[in-house]
Amino acid sequence: MTDSKTALVTGASRGIGAAIALGLAQRGYDVALNGLPNQDHNLSQVATDIRALGQRAEVYHADVSNHTQVNSMAAAILHDFAKIDAIVNNAGILIAGAVDGLPEDAWDSVMDVNAKGSFMVIQSFLPAMKARNYGRIVNIASIGGKHGAPEQAHYSASKAAVMGFSRVLAQEVGPMGITVNCVCPGIILTEMGRVNLEDPQVRNAWQEKTALARIGDPEDVVGPVAFFASDESAFVTGQTLNVDGGIVFS
Ligand SMILES: NC(=O)c1ccc[n+]([C@@H]2O[C@H](COP(=O)([O-])OP(=O)(O)OC[C@H]3O[C@@H](n4cnc5c(N)ncnc54)[C@H](O)[C@@H]3O)[C@@H](O)[C@H]2O)c1
């Protein structure tokens, strides 16, 4: 029997999610890796890397915007690991488009994955967390939800929704020993981040705007997430932390 803590990381196939999953495993967590079926190859690789560290890793295919799939995933994880200590809602999408002319389905998709997906994953695990009087919920929002950039109004709205939801949930579940916090990455070099970074001029402009004068790596996000997932943050809840090298100062 292991006394490892168990964490779920959604969207764990690549980028920030894969870095968080590996970072939590390095800190002694067993990890449930969520992702889409078309990411199976990457998910299996992350699982292999975690097992090489001596921790348990299992892959669960589920679209976080699909209620039935989310509930089946939660049941399977609780069956396999017997408990859940931490949830990291990382799965997200960005579809660029200015407000005038933004297709309704682009708005819906971004809200469904980024905002509703986090809500449904959390809801599916709350009974198990409440039963143990313990839980750590970390939602990956974005500095985009605080000030944002052109062609990302719907993305910004989805991340602001995550932050508002988290502040209220923190008040609802605090008495049951469950904390809820948000991490707001800045400009991070991932598949998604490339949308902001493809044009060298745009990339340089972001770099100049950043106090630490560099673009972030997925690994830069891991420490703050691990803090909120751990007992080091036991008296911190309902907070949002910018992890952006110094772009947004609030
Ligand atoms: N990269 C950045 O600059 C940046 C900045 C701020 C916030 N973020 C946030 O960080 C998180 C990770 O982004 P990333 O940069 O690593 O992007 P990414 O595109 O590399 O990874 C996103 C992950 O989410 C998964 N995913 C997408 N839709 C899903 C769904 N419906 N169900 C399950 N999984 C799904 C993808 O398969 C992938 O594994 C996202 O929530 C994103 O909004 C990223």
Side-chain angles (χ1 to χ4, degrees), residues 87 89 118-123 125-126 129-130 136-139 161-182 237-239:
I87 300 170
N89 280 301
S118 301
F119 151 67
M120 290 196 303
V121 170
I122 291 165
Q123 196 182 47
F125 283 102
L126 272 186
M129 286 187 159
K130 284 184 180 178
R136 297 280 176 267
I137 297 171
V138 189
N139 294 324
V162 167
M163 288 186 262
F165 170 81
S166 300
R167 283 190 281 265
V168 174
L169 180 65
Q171 297 169 62
E172 289 184 4
V173 299
M176 295 108 184
I178 303 168
T179 65
V180 189
N181 292 289
C182 288
T237 196
Q239 304 303 307

PDB file of all heavy atoms in Angstrom, residues 87 89 118-123 125-126 129-130 136-139 161-182 237-239:
ATOM      1  N   ILE A  87      -7.283  18.259  -7.404  1.00  0.00           N
ATOM      2  CA  ILE A  87      -7.744  18.342  -8.797  1.00  0.00           C
ATOM      3  C   ILE A  87      -7.097  19.576  -9.410  1.00  0.00           C
ATOM      4  O   ILE A  87      -7.182  20.672  -8.833  1.00  0.00           O
ATOM      5  CB  ILE A  87      -9.270  18.526  -8.874  1.00  0.00           C
ATOM      6  CG1 ILE A  87     -10.005  17.362  -8.224  1.00  0.00           C
ATOM      7  CG2 ILE A  87      -9.726  18.699 -10.323  1.00  0.00           C
ATOM      8  CD1 ILE A  87     -11.497  17.641  -8.062  1.00  0.00           C
ATOM      9  N   ASN A  89      -7.590  21.647 -12.694  1.00  0.00           N
ATOM     10  CA  ASN A  89      -8.371  21.877 -13.915  1.00  0.00           C
ATOM     11  C   ASN A  89      -7.533  22.706 -14.873  1.00  0.00           C
ATOM     12  O   ASN A  89      -7.488  23.931 -14.781  1.00  0.00           O
ATOM     13  CB  ASN A  89      -9.677  22.607 -13.577  1.00  0.00           C
ATOM     14  CG  ASN A  89     -10.711  21.653 -13.037  1.00  0.00           C
ATOM     15  OD1 ASN A  89     -11.085  20.689 -13.715  1.00  0.00           O
ATOM     16  ND2 ASN A  89     -11.150  21.890 -11.821  1.00  0.00           N
ATOM     17  N   SER A 118     -14.460  22.979 -16.076  1.00  0.00           N
ATOM     18  CA  SER A 118     -13.910  23.019 -14.716  1.00  0.00           C
ATOM     19  C   SER A 118     -15.009  22.765 -13.693  1.00  0.00           C
ATOM     20  O   SER A 118     -14.839  21.988 -12.743  1.00  0.00           O
ATOM     21  CB  SER A 118     -13.258  24.373 -14.442  1.00  0.00           C
ATOM     22  OG  SER A 118     -12.234  24.622 -15.369  1.00  0.00           O
ATOM     23  N   PHE A 119     -16.154  23.422 -13.895  1.00  0.00           N
ATOM     24  CA  PHE A 119     -17.299  23.241 -12.989  1.00  0.00           C
ATOM     25  C   PHE A 119     -17.707  21.775 -12.913  1.00  0.00           C
ATOM     26  O   PHE A 119     -17.892  21.211 -11.826  1.00  0.00           O
ATOM     27  CB  PHE A 119     -18.463  24.123 -13.461  1.00  0.00           C
ATOM     28  CG  PHE A 119     -19.837  23.607 -13.127  1.00  0.00           C
ATOM     29  CD1 PHE A 119     -20.278  23.542 -11.815  1.00  0.00           C
ATOM     30  CD2 PHE A 119     -20.697  23.186 -14.140  1.00  0.00           C
ATOM     31  CE1 PHE A 119     -21.558  23.055 -11.518  1.00  0.00           C
ATOM     32  CE2 PHE A 119     -21.959  22.710 -13.859  1.00  0.00           C
ATOM     33  CZ  PHE A 119     -22.386  22.630 -12.539  1.00  0.00           C
ATOM     34  N   MET A 120     -17.824  21.111 -14.069  1.00  0.00           N
ATOM     35  CA  MET A 120     -18.337  19.735 -14.067  1.00  0.00           C
ATOM     36  C   MET A 120     -17.333  18.761 -13.456  1.00  0.00           C
ATOM     37  O   MET A 120     -17.728  17.837 -12.741  1.00  0.00           O
ATOM     38  CB  MET A 120     -18.722  19.314 -15.486  1.00  0.00           C
ATOM     39  CG  MET A 120     -19.963  20.067 -15.960  1.00  0.00           C
ATOM     40  SD  MET A 120     -20.778  19.364 -17.401  1.00  0.00           S
ATOM     41  CE  MET A 120     -19.490  19.339 -18.609  1.00  0.00           C
ATOM     42  N   VAL A 121     -16.048  18.974 -13.712  1.00  0.00           N
ATOM     43  CA  VAL A 121     -15.040  18.090 -13.108  1.00  0.00           C
ATOM     44  C   VAL A 121     -15.084  18.238 -11.589  1.00  0.00           C
ATOM     45  O   VAL A 121     -15.099  17.252 -10.839  1.00  0.00           O
ATOM     46  CB  VAL A 121     -13.631  18.400 -13.670  1.00  0.00           C
ATOM     47  CG1 VAL A 121     -12.562  17.667 -12.866  1.00  0.00           C
ATOM     48  CG2 VAL A 121     -13.546  18.021 -15.143  1.00  0.00           C
ATOM     49  N   ILE A 122     -15.127  19.485 -11.121  1.00  0.00           N
ATOM     50  CA  ILE A 122     -15.169  19.717  -9.668  1.00  0.00           C
ATOM     51  C   ILE A 122     -16.421  19.078  -9.074  1.00  0.00           C
ATOM     52  O   ILE A 122     -16.362  18.362  -8.061  1.00  0.00           O
ATOM     53  CB  ILE A 122     -15.130  21.232  -9.374  1.00  0.00           C
ATOM     54  CG1 ILE A 122     -13.755  21.800  -9.726  1.00  0.00           C
ATOM     55  CG2 ILE A 122     -15.483  21.505  -7.917  1.00  0.00           C
ATOM     56  CD1 ILE A 122     -13.710  23.321  -9.810  1.00  0.00           C
ATOM     57  N   GLN A 123     -17.567  19.325  -9.711  1.00  0.00           N
ATOM     58  CA  GLN A 123     -18.830  18.817  -9.160  1.00  0.00           C
ATOM     59  C   GLN A 123     -18.798  17.292  -9.033  1.00  0.00           C
ATOM     60  O   GLN A 123     -19.305  16.733  -8.066  1.00  0.00           O
ATOM     61  CB  GLN A 123     -19.996  19.254 -10.057  1.00  0.00           C
ATOM     62  CG  GLN A 123     -21.343  19.111  -9.397  1.00  0.00           C
ATOM     63  CD  GLN A 123     -22.463  19.518 -10.342  1.00  0.00           C
ATOM     64  OE1 GLN A 123     -22.500  19.107 -11.502  1.00  0.00           O
ATOM     65  NE2 GLN A 123     -23.390  20.311  -9.849  1.00  0.00           N
ATOM     66  N   PHE A 125     -16.374  15.404  -8.309  1.00  0.00           N
ATOM     67  CA  PHE A 125     -15.522  14.911  -7.215  1.00  0.00           C
ATOM     68  C   PHE A 125     -15.896  15.475  -5.846  1.00  0.00           C
ATOM     69  O   PHE A 125     -15.348  15.028  -4.831  1.00  0.00           O
ATOM     70  CB  PHE A 125     -14.047  15.249  -7.500  1.00  0.00           C
ATOM     71  CG  PHE A 125     -13.414  14.342  -8.507  1.00  0.00           C
ATOM     72  CD1 PHE A 125     -13.226  14.759  -9.810  1.00  0.00           C
ATOM     73  CD2 PHE A 125     -13.024  13.054  -8.153  1.00  0.00           C
ATOM     74  CE1 PHE A 125     -12.648  13.916 -10.745  1.00  0.00           C
ATOM     75  CE2 PHE A 125     -12.441  12.203  -9.082  1.00  0.00           C
ATOM     76  CZ  PHE A 125     -12.258  12.636 -10.387  1.00  0.00           C
ATOM     77  N   LEU A 126     -16.787  16.465  -5.797  1.00  0.00           N
ATOM     78  CA  LEU A 126     -17.066  17.101  -4.506  1.00  0.00           C
ATOM     79  C   LEU A 126     -17.595  16.126  -3.448  1.00  0.00           C
ATOM     80  O   LEU A 126     -17.167  16.185  -2.289  1.00  0.00           O
ATOM     81  CB  LEU A 126     -18.048  18.265  -4.684  1.00  0.00           C
ATOM     82  CG  LEU A 126     -17.430  19.630  -4.996  1.00  0.00           C
ATOM     83  CD1 LEU A 126     -18.513  20.707  -4.996  1.00  0.00           C
ATOM     84  CD2 LEU A 126     -16.313  19.998  -4.017  1.00  0.00           C
ATOM     85  N   MET A 129     -14.630  14.394  -1.942  1.00  0.00           N
ATOM     86  CA  MET A 129     -13.796  15.289  -1.129  1.00  0.00           C
ATOM     87  C   MET A 129     -14.505  15.632   0.182  1.00  0.00           C
ATOM     88  O   MET A 129     -13.889  15.620   1.254  1.00  0.00           O
ATOM     89  CB  MET A 129     -13.460  16.558  -1.914  1.00  0.00           C
ATOM     90  CG  MET A 129     -12.418  16.348  -3.003  1.00  0.00           C
ATOM     91  SD  MET A 129     -11.901  17.910  -3.772  1.00  0.00           S
ATOM     92  CE  MET A 129     -10.307  17.417  -4.468  1.00  0.00           C
ATOM     93  N   LYS A 130     -15.790  15.911   0.095  1.00  0.00           N
ATOM     94  CA  LYS A 130     -16.547  16.259   1.309  1.00  0.00           C
ATOM     95  C   LYS A 130     -16.554  15.092   2.293  1.00  0.00           C
ATOM     96  O   LYS A 130     -16.453  15.283   3.500  1.00  0.00           O
ATOM     97  CB  LYS A 130     -17.984  16.624   0.945  1.00  0.00           C
ATOM     98  CG  LYS A 130     -18.135  18.005   0.334  1.00  0.00           C
ATOM     99  CD  LYS A 130     -19.612  18.285   0.101  1.00  0.00           C
ATOM    100  CE  LYS A 130     -19.823  19.658  -0.503  1.00  0.00           C
ATOM    101  NZ  LYS A 130     -21.247  19.918  -0.768  1.00  0.00           N
ATOM    102  N   ARG A 136      -7.992  19.704  -2.392  1.00  0.00           N
ATOM    103  CA  ARG A 136      -7.252  20.853  -2.941  1.00  0.00           C
ATOM    104  C   ARG A 136      -7.683  20.991  -4.396  1.00  0.00           C
ATOM    105  O   ARG A 136      -7.442  20.078  -5.193  1.00  0.00           O
ATOM    106  CB  ARG A 136      -5.735  20.601  -2.887  1.00  0.00           C
ATOM    107  CG  ARG A 136      -5.169  20.449  -1.483  1.00  0.00           C
ATOM    108  CD  ARG A 136      -4.981  21.823  -0.830  1.00  0.00           C
ATOM    109  NE  ARG A 136      -4.518  21.704   0.543  1.00  0.00           N
ATOM    110  CZ  ARG A 136      -5.333  21.687   1.611  1.00  0.00           C
ATOM    111  NH1 ARG A 136      -6.643  21.772   1.466  1.00  0.00           N
ATOM    112  NH2 ARG A 136      -4.836  21.594   2.826  1.00  0.00           N
ATOM    113  N   ILE A 137      -8.301  22.111  -4.733  1.00  0.00           N
ATOM    114  CA  ILE A 137      -8.743  22.343  -6.109  1.00  0.00           C
ATOM    115  C   ILE A 137      -7.938  23.517  -6.667  1.00  0.00           C
ATOM    116  O   ILE A 137      -7.890  24.598  -6.054  1.00  0.00           O
ATOM    117  CB  ILE A 137     -10.254  22.645  -6.161  1.00  0.00           C
ATOM    118  CG1 ILE A 137     -11.039  21.425  -5.668  1.00  0.00           C
ATOM    119  CG2 ILE A 137     -10.676  23.031  -7.583  1.00  0.00           C
ATOM    120  CD1 ILE A 137     -12.523  21.675  -5.467  1.00  0.00           C
ATOM    121  N   VAL A 138      -7.276  23.280  -7.787  1.00  0.00           N
ATOM    122  CA  VAL A 138      -6.466  24.328  -8.429  1.00  0.00           C
ATOM    123  C   VAL A 138      -7.000  24.513  -9.841  1.00  0.00           C
ATOM    124  O   VAL A 138      -6.988  23.574 -10.646  1.00  0.00           O
ATOM    125  CB  VAL A 138      -4.971  23.947  -8.483  1.00  0.00           C
ATOM    126  CG1 VAL A 138      -4.152  25.144  -8.956  1.00  0.00           C
ATOM    127  CG2 VAL A 138      -4.473  23.433  -7.138  1.00  0.00           C
ATOM    128  N   ASN A 139      -7.477  25.692 -10.134  1.00  0.00           N
ATOM    129  CA  ASN A 139      -8.019  25.981 -11.461  1.00  0.00           C
ATOM    130  C   ASN A 139      -7.029  26.846 -12.245  1.00  0.00           C
ATOM    131  O   ASN A 139      -6.586  27.887 -11.756  1.00  0.00           O
ATOM    132  CB  ASN A 139      -9.361  26.696 -11.335  1.00  0.00           C
ATOM    133  CG  ASN A 139     -10.413  25.785 -10.726  1.00  0.00           C
ATOM    134  OD1 ASN A 139     -10.413  24.581 -10.996  1.00  0.00           O
ATOM    135  ND2 ASN A 139     -11.292  26.332  -9.910  1.00  0.00           N
ATOM    136  N   ALA A 161     -14.717  33.823 -15.693  1.00  0.00           N
ATOM    137  CA  ALA A 161     -15.756  32.973 -15.101  1.00  0.00           C
ATOM    138  C   ALA A 161     -15.134  31.966 -14.139  1.00  0.00           C
ATOM    139  O   ALA A 161     -15.656  31.737 -13.040  1.00  0.00           O
ATOM    140  CB  ALA A 161     -16.525  32.243 -16.205  1.00  0.00           C
ATOM    141  N   VAL A 162     -14.012  31.388 -14.525  1.00  0.00           N
ATOM    142  CA  VAL A 162     -13.341  30.413 -13.654  1.00  0.00           C
ATOM    143  C   VAL A 162     -12.943  31.075 -12.333  1.00  0.00           C
ATOM    144  O   VAL A 162     -13.125  30.506 -11.248  1.00  0.00           O
ATOM    145  CB  VAL A 162     -12.098  29.821 -14.362  1.00  0.00           C
ATOM    146  CG1 VAL A 162     -11.217  29.059 -13.382  1.00  0.00           C
ATOM    147  CG2 VAL A 162     -12.526  28.914 -15.517  1.00  0.00           C
ATOM    148  N   MET A 163     -12.433  32.316 -12.415  1.00  0.00           N
ATOM    149  CA  MET A 163     -12.008  32.996 -11.185  1.00  0.00           C
ATOM    150  C   MET A 163     -13.201  33.339 -10.290  1.00  0.00           C
ATOM    151  O   MET A 163     -13.152  33.139  -9.071  1.00  0.00           O
ATOM    152  CB  MET A 163     -11.189  34.238 -11.539  1.00  0.00           C
ATOM    153  CG  MET A 163      -9.814  33.890 -12.068  1.00  0.00           C
ATOM    154  SD  MET A 163      -8.772  35.322 -12.345  1.00  0.00           S
ATOM    155  CE  MET A 163      -8.984  35.571 -14.089  1.00  0.00           C
ATOM    156  N   GLY A 164     -14.279  33.824 -10.877  1.00  0.00           N
ATOM    157  CA  GLY A 164     -15.469  34.152 -10.088  1.00  0.00           C
ATOM    158  C   GLY A 164     -16.057  32.910  -9.442  1.00  0.00           C
ATOM    159  O   GLY A 164     -16.407  32.898  -8.247  1.00  0.00           O
ATOM    160  N   PHE A 165     -16.165  31.849 -10.226  1.00  0.00           N
ATOM    161  CA  PHE A 165     -16.677  30.570  -9.728  1.00  0.00           C
ATOM    162  C   PHE A 165     -15.823  30.079  -8.556  1.00  0.00           C
ATOM    163  O   PHE A 165     -16.344  29.622  -7.526  1.00  0.00           O
ATOM    164  CB  PHE A 165     -16.641  29.565 -10.894  1.00  0.00           C
ATOM    165  CG  PHE A 165     -16.917  28.147 -10.511  1.00  0.00           C
ATOM    166  CD1 PHE A 165     -18.223  27.709 -10.342  1.00  0.00           C
ATOM    167  CD2 PHE A 165     -15.881  27.239 -10.330  1.00  0.00           C
ATOM    168  CE1 PHE A 165     -18.478  26.386  -9.994  1.00  0.00           C
ATOM    169  CE2 PHE A 165     -16.131  25.931  -9.989  1.00  0.00           C
ATOM    170  CZ  PHE A 165     -17.436  25.497  -9.818  1.00  0.00           C
ATOM    171  N   SER A 166     -14.504  30.201  -8.702  1.00  0.00           N
ATOM    172  CA  SER A 166     -13.585  29.679  -7.675  1.00  0.00           C
ATOM    173  C   SER A 166     -13.733  30.443  -6.357  1.00  0.00           C
ATOM    174  O   SER A 166     -13.687  29.842  -5.273  1.00  0.00           O
ATOM    175  CB  SER A 166     -12.127  29.795  -8.157  1.00  0.00           C
ATOM    176  OG  SER A 166     -11.951  29.064  -9.350  1.00  0.00           O
ATOM    177  N   ARG A 167     -13.918  31.772  -6.450  1.00  0.00           N
ATOM    178  CA  ARG A 167     -14.049  32.565  -5.219  1.00  0.00           C
ATOM    179  C   ARG A 167     -15.284  32.159  -4.430  1.00  0.00           C
ATOM    180  O   ARG A 167     -15.257  32.085  -3.204  1.00  0.00           O
ATOM    181  CB  ARG A 167     -14.081  34.057  -5.559  1.00  0.00           C
ATOM    182  CG  ARG A 167     -12.707  34.622  -5.887  1.00  0.00           C
ATOM    183  CD  ARG A 167     -12.725  36.143  -5.982  1.00  0.00           C
ATOM    184  NE  ARG A 167     -13.253  36.585  -7.258  1.00  0.00           N
ATOM    185  CZ  ARG A 167     -12.492  36.889  -8.323  1.00  0.00           C
ATOM    186  NH1 ARG A 167     -11.170  36.818  -8.236  1.00  0.00           N
ATOM    187  NH2 ARG A 167     -13.044  37.280  -9.450  1.00  0.00           N
ATOM    188  N   VAL A 168     -16.384  31.884  -5.133  1.00  0.00           N
ATOM    189  CA  VAL A 168     -17.615  31.490  -4.433  1.00  0.00           C
ATOM    190  C   VAL A 168     -17.509  30.051  -3.930  1.00  0.00           C
ATOM    191  O   VAL A 168     -17.871  29.746  -2.787  1.00  0.00           O
ATOM    192  CB  VAL A 168     -18.852  31.665  -5.345  1.00  0.00           C
ATOM    193  CG1 VAL A 168     -20.098  31.126  -4.659  1.00  0.00           C
ATOM    194  CG2 VAL A 168     -19.033  33.142  -5.690  1.00  0.00           C
ATOM    195  N   LEU A 169     -16.973  29.159  -4.775  1.00  0.00           N
ATOM    196  CA  LEU A 169     -16.832  27.762  -4.345  1.00  0.00           C
ATOM    197  C   LEU A 169     -15.969  27.669  -3.089  1.00  0.00           C
ATOM    198  O   LEU A 169     -16.259  26.870  -2.185  1.00  0.00           O
ATOM    199  CB  LEU A 169     -16.222  26.926  -5.485  1.00  0.00           C
ATOM    200  CG  LEU A 169     -16.031  25.442  -5.149  1.00  0.00           C
ATOM    201  CD1 LEU A 169     -17.367  24.748  -4.914  1.00  0.00           C
ATOM    202  CD2 LEU A 169     -15.254  24.736  -6.263  1.00  0.00           C
ATOM    203  N   ALA A 170     -14.918  28.494  -3.030  1.00  0.00           N
ATOM    204  CA  ALA A 170     -14.045  28.481  -1.849  1.00  0.00           C
ATOM    205  C   ALA A 170     -14.855  28.731  -0.578  1.00  0.00           C
ATOM    206  O   ALA A 170     -14.604  28.110   0.470  1.00  0.00           O
ATOM    207  CB  ALA A 170     -12.946  29.540  -2.002  1.00  0.00           C
ATOM    208  N   GLN A 171     -15.849  29.628  -0.681  1.00  0.00           N
ATOM    209  CA  GLN A 171     -16.678  29.927   0.491  1.00  0.00           C
ATOM    210  C   GLN A 171     -17.635  28.780   0.798  1.00  0.00           C
ATOM    211  O   GLN A 171     -17.934  28.495   1.964  1.00  0.00           O
ATOM    212  CB  GLN A 171     -17.462  31.219   0.240  1.00  0.00           C
ATOM    213  CG  GLN A 171     -16.554  32.437   0.067  1.00  0.00           C
ATOM    214  CD  GLN A 171     -17.315  33.656  -0.442  1.00  0.00           C
ATOM    215  OE1 GLN A 171     -18.209  34.155   0.211  1.00  0.00           O
ATOM    216  NE2 GLN A 171     -16.954  34.110  -1.642  1.00  0.00           N
ATOM    217  N   GLU A 172     -18.122  28.115  -0.251  1.00  0.00           N
ATOM    218  CA  GLU A 172     -19.073  27.023  -0.031  1.00  0.00           C
ATOM    219  C   GLU A 172     -18.417  25.799   0.603  1.00  0.00           C
ATOM    220  O   GLU A 172     -19.014  25.137   1.449  1.00  0.00           O
ATOM    221  CB  GLU A 172     -19.716  26.611  -1.372  1.00  0.00           C
ATOM    222  CG  GLU A 172     -20.678  27.639  -1.925  1.00  0.00           C
ATOM    223  CD  GLU A 172     -21.380  27.186  -3.209  1.00  0.00           C
ATOM    224  OE1 GLU A 172     -21.178  26.022  -3.632  1.00  0.00           O
ATOM    225  OE2 GLU A 172     -22.130  27.977  -3.772  1.00  0.00           O
ATOM    226  N   VAL A 173     -17.195  25.475   0.177  1.00  0.00           N
ATOM    227  CA  VAL A 173     -16.600  24.194   0.601  1.00  0.00           C
ATOM    228  C   VAL A 173     -15.495  24.346   1.651  1.00  0.00           C
ATOM    229  O   VAL A 173     -14.992  23.339   2.152  1.00  0.00           O
ATOM    230  CB  VAL A 173     -16.069  23.387  -0.619  1.00  0.00           C
ATOM    231  CG1 VAL A 173     -17.203  23.073  -1.578  1.00  0.00           C
ATOM    232  CG2 VAL A 173     -14.930  24.140  -1.316  1.00  0.00           C
ATOM    233  N   GLY A 174     -15.159  25.597   1.995  1.00  0.00           N
ATOM    234  CA  GLY A 174     -14.128  25.823   3.022  1.00  0.00           C
ATOM    235  C   GLY A 174     -14.403  25.076   4.319  1.00  0.00           C
ATOM    236  O   GLY A 174     -13.496  24.441   4.885  1.00  0.00           O
ATOM    237  N   PRO A 175     -15.648  25.120   4.808  1.00  0.00           N
ATOM    238  CA  PRO A 175     -15.917  24.421   6.087  1.00  0.00           C
ATOM    239  C   PRO A 175     -15.664  22.923   6.013  1.00  0.00           C
ATOM    240  O   PRO A 175     -15.566  22.261   7.046  1.00  0.00           O
ATOM    241  CB  PRO A 175     -17.411  24.715   6.321  1.00  0.00           C
ATOM    242  CG  PRO A 175     -17.683  25.971   5.557  1.00  0.00           C
ATOM    243  CD  PRO A 175     -16.800  25.892   4.339  1.00  0.00           C
ATOM    244  N   MET A 176     -15.589  22.362   4.801  1.00  0.00           N
ATOM    245  CA  MET A 176     -15.327  20.911   4.671  1.00  0.00           C
ATOM    246  C   MET A 176     -13.847  20.632   4.379  1.00  0.00           C
ATOM    247  O   MET A 176     -13.502  19.549   3.885  1.00  0.00           O
ATOM    248  CB  MET A 176     -16.157  20.322   3.529  1.00  0.00           C
ATOM    249  CG  MET A 176     -17.640  20.370   3.774  1.00  0.00           C
ATOM    250  SD  MET A 176     -18.349  21.612   2.689  1.00  0.00           S
ATOM    251  CE  MET A 176     -20.056  21.598   3.224  1.00  0.00           C
ATOM    252  N   GLY A 177     -12.976  21.576   4.663  1.00  0.00           N
ATOM    253  CA  GLY A 177     -11.534  21.318   4.517  1.00  0.00           C
ATOM    254  C   GLY A 177     -11.044  21.332   3.083  1.00  0.00           C
ATOM    255  O   GLY A 177      -9.965  20.817   2.778  1.00  0.00           O
ATOM    256  N   ILE A 178     -11.839  21.934   2.192  1.00  0.00           N
ATOM    257  CA  ILE A 178     -11.467  21.956   0.767  1.00  0.00           C
ATOM    258  C   ILE A 178     -11.065  23.377   0.387  1.00  0.00           C
ATOM    259  O   ILE A 178     -11.815  24.321   0.652  1.00  0.00           O
ATOM    260  CB  ILE A 178     -12.648  21.485  -0.120  1.00  0.00           C
ATOM    261  CG1 ILE A 178     -13.101  20.080   0.311  1.00  0.00           C
ATOM    262  CG2 ILE A 178     -12.270  21.518  -1.600  1.00  0.00           C
ATOM    263  CD1 ILE A 178     -14.425  19.639  -0.306  1.00  0.00           C
ATOM    264  N   THR A 179      -9.891  23.524  -0.222  1.00  0.00           N
ATOM    265  CA  THR A 179      -9.464  24.841  -0.694  1.00  0.00           C
ATOM    266  C   THR A 179      -9.600  24.915  -2.216  1.00  0.00           C
ATOM    267  O   THR A 179      -9.518  23.901  -2.915  1.00  0.00           O
ATOM    268  CB  THR A 179      -8.008  25.154  -0.305  1.00  0.00           C
ATOM    269  OG1 THR A 179      -7.133  24.238  -0.967  1.00  0.00           O
ATOM    270  CG2 THR A 179      -7.803  25.084   1.199  1.00  0.00           C
ATOM    271  N   VAL A 180      -9.821  26.135  -2.702  1.00  0.00           N
ATOM    272  CA  VAL A 180     -10.013  26.369  -4.142  1.00  0.00           C
ATOM    273  C   VAL A 180      -9.222  27.610  -4.522  1.00  0.00           C
ATOM    274  O   VAL A 180      -9.489  28.701  -3.993  1.00  0.00           O
ATOM    275  CB  VAL A 180     -11.506  26.618  -4.484  1.00  0.00           C
ATOM    276  CG1 VAL A 180     -11.702  26.644  -5.999  1.00  0.00           C
ATOM    277  CG2 VAL A 180     -12.412  25.607  -3.829  1.00  0.00           C
ATOM    278  N   ASN A 181      -8.245  27.448  -5.374  1.00  0.00           N
ATOM    279  CA  ASN A 181      -7.427  28.595  -5.793  1.00  0.00           C
ATOM    280  C   ASN A 181      -7.187  28.559  -7.299  1.00  0.00           C
ATOM    281  O   ASN A 181      -7.306  27.509  -7.927  1.00  0.00           O
ATOM    282  CB  ASN A 181      -6.086  28.578  -5.052  1.00  0.00           C
ATOM    283  CG  ASN A 181      -6.246  28.860  -3.567  1.00  0.00           C
ATOM    284  OD1 ASN A 181      -6.544  29.988  -3.164  1.00  0.00           O
ATOM    285  ND2 ASN A 181      -6.100  27.828  -2.737  1.00  0.00           N
ATOM    286  N   CYS A 182      -6.830  29.723  -7.837  1.00  0.00           N
ATOM    287  CA  CYS A 182      -6.565  29.829  -9.279  1.00  0.00           C
ATOM    288  C   CYS A 182      -5.120  30.243  -9.518  1.00  0.00           C
ATOM    289  O   CYS A 182      -4.586  31.101  -8.805  1.00  0.00           O
ATOM    290  CB  CYS A 182      -7.439  30.908  -9.917  1.00  0.00           C
ATOM    291  SG  CYS A 182      -9.160  30.457 -10.049  1.00  0.00           S
ATOM    292  N   THR A 237      -7.247  30.230   0.471  1.00  0.00           N
ATOM    293  CA  THR A 237      -8.326  29.785  -0.423  1.00  0.00           C
ATOM    294  C   THR A 237      -9.021  30.976  -1.072  1.00  0.00           C
ATOM    295  O   THR A 237      -9.008  32.080  -0.532  1.00  0.00           O
ATOM    296  CB  THR A 237      -9.320  28.860   0.320  1.00  0.00           C
ATOM    297  OG1 THR A 237     -10.115  28.176  -0.645  1.00  0.00           O
ATOM    298  CG2 THR A 237     -10.222  29.628   1.280  1.00  0.00           C
ATOM    299  N   GLY A 238      -9.574  30.721  -2.241  1.00  0.00           N
ATOM    300  CA  GLY A 238     -10.295  31.764  -2.974  1.00  0.00           C
ATOM    301  C   GLY A 238      -9.379  32.783  -3.631  1.00  0.00           C
ATOM    302  O   GLY A 238      -9.817  33.868  -4.015  1.00  0.00           O
ATOM    303  N   GLN A 239      -8.098  32.415  -3.817  1.00  0.00           N
ATOM    304  CA  GLN A 239      -7.116  33.372  -4.321  1.00  0.00           C
ATOM    305  C   GLN A 239      -6.763  33.101  -5.786  1.00  0.00           C
ATOM    306  O   GLN A 239      -6.949  32.003  -6.290  1.00  0.00           O
ATOM    307  CB  GLN A 239      -5.839  33.307  -3.474  1.00  0.00           C
ATOM    308  CG  GLN A 239      -6.090  33.545  -1.999  1.00  0.00           C
ATOM    309  CD  GLN A 239      -6.763  34.889  -1.732  1.00  0.00           C
ATOM    310  OE1 GLN A 239      -6.282  35.930  -2.179  1.00  0.00           O
ATOM    311  NE2 GLN A 239      -7.896  34.880  -1.023  1.00  0.00           N
TER     312      GLN A 239
END
